[in-house]
Amino acid sequence: MHRVFKTTFWTTKKLLVLSAISTLLYVVLRSETFMRLYVPYGDERSFLEALGQIKANGFITAWSNGSISPSFYSISYPFTLCFDNPLYGLRLVSLICTILTLILLYNFAKYKLQLKDVYLYSSLVLILNFLGYRIFWQGINDDFLHLLIVYSVLLLYNIKKSKKIKYVILLGITIGLIIGTRVSAFIILPGYIFFLYKDFKTTFIVGIIALSVGFCLHAPSLLKNKLLSDVNKDPKNGLTWAQLNYVSQLHIYEGKIPEHTRLTWEELETYIEENGSDNLPKTFIESITFNWNYSIKEFFNDLWFTLHSILFRFFGLGLFIILGFSIYMLKKGNGLNENLKFNKSFFLFFWCYTFLLCFVVLTSLEVRWYTAFIFLGILFFHQLLENFQEFNIKIKPELIVNINLILLLCYQAKFILTDSNLLSDVLRKIAPSIF
C-alpha cells in the first residue's frame, strides 16, 4: 500500500491542498443548508422563550426563577438588544465564540504543541471539516461552553509549564463559568482531576475560585428556589425530557423506533394517556437508576455509537492512534517524555467525559456535545503522530495523514455531490442520470 502514496498524485502536499479546497466548499455548502432550515431551529426555541421571560419580567426575576443559563445570558443578552429579532443576537454570540475558539486552537497548535508542516495543516483541515458538519452558529449556549472548555485546557497546559498564579486564577474563573453555563456541564468537571490531582495547592485554589464563581452565578435561583439555574427545555404540559428519553429507550428495545432516535412529544403524551406516568422517571438522575439493566445496556450502545459514528468520522485513523496511546499510557504512563505527559492527562479527561456522557444519555447522543473534545483530540493525536518515534512503530506517520485525507475527501464528496445542498441541487438538474 505504501507505494501507492509515493506516486505523484498522492503526495501529502497535494492531498492537503485538495482537502483544504474541498473542506472550504463543504463548510460553505453546509452553512447554506443550515440557512434553509426553519427558524428557530432545535433548542433555539427554548432559548428564545427564556429571553421572552427576561423581557416580560426583567433579567433579575428570570435569573431568580432559575429559567436562564446565567453565564451565557449575562454575555449574550446585551447582543440580543441590538437586533429586532433577538435570535440574531444569540447566533452572533455563537459565531464570535466559534471564531475565538479557532484562534485559540491555532495558537495552541502552533506555539504550544508546536505542530509543524503537514501535522499542523492536517489538523486545521480536520477541525474545519468538523466545524462544517455541526451547526456552529446555532443560537444556544453550546459554542460558549466549548470555548470555555478549550480555554481551560490551554490554561492547564500553561499551569503545567509555568505555575503562574494568573493562570490558576483564570482557570478557577473559567471552570466557574462552565458551572454557570449549563447544569449538565457537571459531567465535565471530574475530568479536571486528571490534570491537577498531584498538586493539592493548585487544586484547592482552583476549586475554591470555581465554586465561588459558580455559586454566585446560581445564587439567585438557589436562594429563591433551591435549584440551579438553567434553560428549561421541557414543554409546558408537565412532560419532561427524562420521561421522553426513558420511553424512547423502551421503544428502541422493543424495535418500535430506530436506535439513537427519540419519540416526539405528541407520541410521549399518547403513551402516558394509555399507560400512565407512575412507572416513569421524572428526572435524569431517576432515569439512570430506574432500571439498571437498561442503563448499562444503553451505556455500551452509546459508547459503540460514539466510537464508530462520531469519533471515527472526525478523527479517521486518528481514533486508532488515540486508542493505542490510551492503552500504552496506562501500561507505561510514568515512562512518557515531558511532551506527552500532558497528552496523557488530556486523554484521561477525554475518556472520563465520554464514559460519563454515554452513561447519562440514554437514547440519542448528539455530536455537538463532543465539540471541544473533538477539536482538542484532533490536535493531540497529530502531536502523537509527530512523536511516533517514541513508540517504535514502523508505520510512517505521513501515511496515516494521507489515508485520513483521502477518507475525508470521500466523505465530503458524498455530501457535496449527492446530498441536498445548493451545488448538488444544480447538478441534479443538469445531469439527473449522474447525480
Side-chain angles (χ1 to χ4, degrees), residues 145 148-149 152 156 171-197 203 206-207 210-211 214-215 218 228 348-349 352-354 356-357 373:
L145 174 65
L148 294 174
I149 297 171
S152 71
L156 284 162
L171 178 61
I173 293 171
T174 303
I175 295 176
L177 291 172
I178 289 172
I179 293 171
T181 300
R182 185 185 295 171
V183 172
S184 60
F186 276 95
I187 65 173
I188 298 167
L189 302 185
Y192 290 104
I193 295 170
F194 296 112
F195 294 97
L196 300 170
Y197 72 96
T203 304
V206 170
L211 291 175
F215 175 79
H218 287 287
L228 298 174
L348 288 171
F349 185 22
C352 178
Y353 174 76
T354 298
L356 286 173
L357 187 61
F373 295 90

Side-chain angles (χ1 to χ4, degrees), residues 156-406:
L156 284 162
Y157 186 89
N158 288 335
I159 290 171
K160 287 286 184 182
K161 299 296 181 181
S162 171
K163 292 184 181 179
K164 293 182 179 179
I165 190 64
K166 69 175 183 179
Y167 296 136
V168 176
I169 293 172
L170 283 171
L171 178 61
I173 293 171
T174 303
I175 295 176
L177 291 172
I178 289 172
I179 293 171
T181 300
R182 185 185 295 171
V183 172
S184 60
F186 276 95
I187 65 173
I188 298 167
L189 302 185
Y192 290 104
I193 295 170
F194 296 112
F195 294 97
L196 300 170
Y197 72 96
K198 290 184 179 180
D199 188 343
F200 176 78
K201 181 180 177 181
T202 301
T203 304
F204 180 77
I205 295 172
V206 170
I208 290 296
I209 295 173
L211 291 175
S212 299
V213 172
F215 175 79
C216 289
L217 289 167
H218 287 287
S221 179
L222 285 170
L223 295 173
K224 183 176 180 179
N225 302 307
K226 296 182 173 57
L227 294 172
L228 298 174
S229 184
D230 202 356
V231 174
N232 185 1
K233 297 187 289 184
D234 294 335
K236 309 305 180 191
N237 55 3
L239 303 179
T240 68
W241 272 96
Q243 292 173 327
L244 183 71
N245 279 344
Y246 189 78
V247 176
S248 297
Q249 187 183 33
L250 292 177
H251 279 59
I252 288 171
Y253 291 144
E254 293 170 2
K256 294 179 180 178
I257 61 174
E259 287 193 10
H260 304 290
T261 61
R262 293 190 184 101
L263 298 177
T264 64
W265 289 108
E266 291 76 16
E267 289 170 331
L268 174 63
E269 197 166 19
T270 301
Y271 177 90
I272 291 177
E273 287 174 1
E274 295 174 353
N275 300 280
S277 61
D278 293 339
N279 293 322
L280 295 179
K282 291 183 172 57
T283 66
F284 278 110
I285 298 299
E286 285 182 20
S287 64
I288 294 169
T289 60
F290 201 75
N291 188 320
W292 282 107
N293 288 333
Y294 285 167
S295 297
I296 293 171
K297 183 176 180 180
E298 195 58 29
F299 165 79
F300 287 105
N301 285 340
D302 284 343
L303 182 59
W304 172 242
F305 179 81
T306 296
L307 291 173
H308 77 83
S309 293
I310 297 178
L311 300 184
F312 181 71
R313 172 178 286 181
F314 300 111
F315 290 158
L317 298 186
L319 173 60
F320 300 105
I321 303 300
I322 293 170
L323 289 170
F325 176 74
S326 298
I327 295 169
Y328 180 88
M329 73 186 186
L330 292 175
K331 290 182 177 179
K332 301 181 179 181
N334 295 329
L336 295 172
N337 67 32
E338 286 301 317
N339 289 333
L340 298 179
K341 284 183 179 179
F342 191 80
N343 295 53
K344 175 185 176 182
S345 297
F346 170 76
F347 285 119
L348 288 171
F349 185 22
F350 176 92
W351 292 120
C352 178
Y353 174 76
T354 298
F355 292 153
L356 286 173
L357 187 61
C358 291
F359 189 66
V360 170
V361 178
L362 293 179
T363 51
S364 182
L365 283 170
E366 296 186 34
V367 172
R368 60 191 175 94
W369 297 333
Y370 285 98
T371 298
F373 295 90
I374 289 176
F375 281 154
L376 291 165
I378 288 169
L379 297 185
F380 283 115
F381 91 68
H382 278 88
Q383 190 187 33
L384 293 176
L385 288 175
E386 270 200 328
N387 288 270
F388 241 35
Q389 68 275 8
E390 296 286 333
F391 310 108
N392 296 318
I393 298 175
K394 295 182 179 180
I395 300 173
K396 289 191 175 183
E398 295 88 347
L399 179 63
I400 294 174
V401 172
N402 284 0
I403 296 174
N404 250 11
L405 293 176
I406 293 170

Side-chain angles (χ1 to χ4, degrees), residues 101-110 112-116 119-127 150 153-154 314-315 322 340 343 346-347 372-387:
T101 301
L102 291 177
I103 292 171
L104 288 175
L105 290 167
Y106 176 77
N107 285 306
F108 184 56
K110 187 171 183 179
K112 299 295 184 179
L113 299 182
Q114 296 185 330
L115 294 180
K116 301 180 185 68
Y119 304 107
L120 175 62
Y121 301 129
S122 173
S123 63
L124 294 177
V125 166
L126 293 186
I127 285 172
V150 168
V153 173
L154 271 59
F314 300 111
F315 290 158
I322 293 170
L340 298 179
N343 295 53
F346 170 76
F347 285 119
F373 295 90
I374 289 176
F375 281 154
L376 291 165
I378 288 169
L379 297 185
F380 283 115
F381 91 68
H382 278 88
Q383 190 187 33
L384 293 176
L385 288 175
E386 270 200 328
N387 288 270

Side-chain angles (χ1 to χ4, degrees), residues 47 69-77 90 93 139-141 144 180-181:
F47 279 77
S69 166
S71 301
F72 179 69
Y73 279 97
S74 296
I75 291 172
S76 62
Y77 180 59
L90 296 178
V93 171
I140 56 179
N141 57 10
F144 178 68
T181 300

